[in-house]
Amino acid sequence: MQTFTMKLWSVAAGVTAAAAVATPAAAADPNAPTVPSPTEFVYPTGFDKALSLMMAGEGGENGIGSHRVWPTLSFPALTTEQIAKAVSGNSLVIPYHYTHQYSTDGKIGGYNIRYDPVDVKKCPKKEIPGDGFLLYEGVCSAQLNEPVTGTWKAENDKLCVDVAWAGKSQISGCYTMFFVMDSVALVKLDGTVSGKAHALKKGAAPDM
């Protein structure tokens, strides 16, 4: 049985962002590849073209942003400018969980999805995508969209956010951002990936 392993090393133009998301230098992986800055070499058709493919639903074509490296597949971290260009006016989405809409003025809107138990008779016997109900292990839940508020900024090759719903801050901190094939990965300062992969959607995109 084959095992696929993917490692992420953070590289930003002019800044060694890896130090913020990797282990200390003394414990650095000696097998980590030397990866160039995110230039035209990283994005063969240019970052703007790569971004347009993501927005058109064709992200991941030819391994967006990846290098010809084997057996380790690496992806470059986005720079401050690239992060701002990617999220400004667009949405980061985890289907069936939340849609966060990043306005051009640094505000975050959208909604978090909550599932509340309801009478099981309200759920169809066969799942119908988009009907607002979820039947799981005999429990019927109704989808409720909770409004989200918050702020964002791109700085030091990080996406920094403070997102609140249900009356309190729920997500806050700065994350290194990667285009990983057709998804977006947000990596915490300790090097761990934050939750699930995100989809980058154009404009104030609705959830699935």
Side-chain angles (χ1 to χ4, degrees), residues 10-11 21 43 47 51 54 75-79 82-87 92 157-159 174-180 183-187 198 200:
S10 169
V11 178
V21 299
Y43 301 99
F47 180 79
L51 180 59
M54 292 280 282
F75 298 86
L78 271 60
T79 64
Q82 290 170 342
I83 291 170
K85 186 177 290 187
V87 304
L92 284 175
D157 303 313
K158 302 284 188 298
L159 174 63
C174 295
Y175 302 85
T176 305
M177 185 173 174
F178 299 84
F179 281 175
V180 181
S183 300
V184 172
L186 297 178
V187 178
H198 292 71
L200 179 63

Side-chain angles (χ1 to χ4, degrees), residues 101-103 105-110 147-152 160-165 171:
Q101 301 161 346
Y102 288 70
S103 69
D105 63 357
K107 302 289 180 61
I108 295 178
V148 161
T149 59
T151 58
W152 73 272
C160 298
V161 302
D162 186 6
V163 187
W165 66 84
I171 302 174

Side-chain angles (χ1 to χ4, degrees), residues 8-21:
L8 299 178
W9 280 275
S10 169
V11 178
V15 178
T16 309
V21 299

Side-chain angles (χ1 to χ4, degrees), residues 35-115:
V35 184
S37 298
T39 62
E40 300 305 297
F41 175 75
V42 178
Y43 301 99
T45 58
F47 180 79
D48 288 350
K49 178 65 174 179
L51 180 59
S52 71
L53 287 174
M54 292 280 282
M55 294 302 185
E58 299 178 25
E61 185 172 324
N62 296 319
I64 187 169
S66 64
H67 304 278
R68 291 184 179 180
V69 166
W70 186 257
T72 299
L73 183 62
S74 61
F75 298 86
L78 271 60
T79 64
T80 298
E81 180 183 2
Q82 290 170 342
I83 291 170
K85 186 177 290 187
V87 304
S88 184
N90 298 313
S91 299
L92 284 175
V93 178
I94 298 182
Y96 308 108
H97 286 76
Y98 62 65
T99 291
H100 292 171
Q101 301 161 346
Y102 288 70
S103 69
T104 57
D105 63 357
K107 302 289 180 61
I108 295 178
Y111 52 87
N112 173 65
I113 299 175
R114 191 179 82 229
Y115 294 92

Side-chain angles (χ1 to χ4, degrees), residues 115-124 132-142:
Y115 294 92
D116 288 349
V118 295
D119 188 338
V120 71
K121 294 179 181 179
K122 292 187 177 182
C123 273
F133 291 97
L134 176 67
L135 183 62
Y136 181 71
E137 294 186 345
V139 177
C140 179
S141 299

